[in-house]
Amino acid sequence: MQILVTGGAGVIGSAVVRYLIQHTQDEVCNIDKLTYAGNLESLIDIEYSPRYQFHKIDICNATALQQVFSTFRPDVVM
């Protein structure tokens, strides 16, 4: 399954992303604006997984978001 996680660099989002990569065979696309709450250091242990990708995107940026949706084609958005 293709799973897109918004806010995946925050406390809860990063826990979800790590869980998905470590305990499933799903592919995960993480998008986060990386404001005060985002911290990519919490994802160091999975950052090189071939099933994981990160995009620094503000979800208010419709053009960037559409590009991710058309290339990643998620089955689920969290």
Side-chain angles (χ1 to χ4, degrees):
M1 193 165 11
Q2 307 274 103
I3 301 174
L4 185 136
V5 178
T6 64
V11 174
I12 296 170
S14 64
V16 169
V17 169
R18 286 191 311 272
Y19 179 87
L20 290 169
I21 293 298
Q22 293 170 347
H23 299 286
T24 74
Q25 293 303 310
D26 300 329
E27 292 189 31
V28 178
C29 178
N30 174 8
I31 60 173
D32 198 293
K33 186 177 176 181
L34 293 180
T35 60
Y36 70 93
N39 183 1
L40 290 178
E41 290 182 23
S42 60
L43 297 163
I44 287 175
D45 53 336
I46 57 99
E47 71 180 327
Y48 295 112
S49 170
R51 295 181 297 107
Y52 172 73
Q53 57 182 277
F54 171 77
H55 298 278
K56 182 180 178 185
I57 295 175
D58 181 342
I59 62 170
C60 294
N61 183 338
T63 303
L65 205 53
Q66 181 59 41
Q67 185 176 12
V68 170
F69 269 82
S70 55
T71 57
F72 187 67
R73 302 179 55 95
D75 299 302
V76 176
V77 177
M78 301 174 82

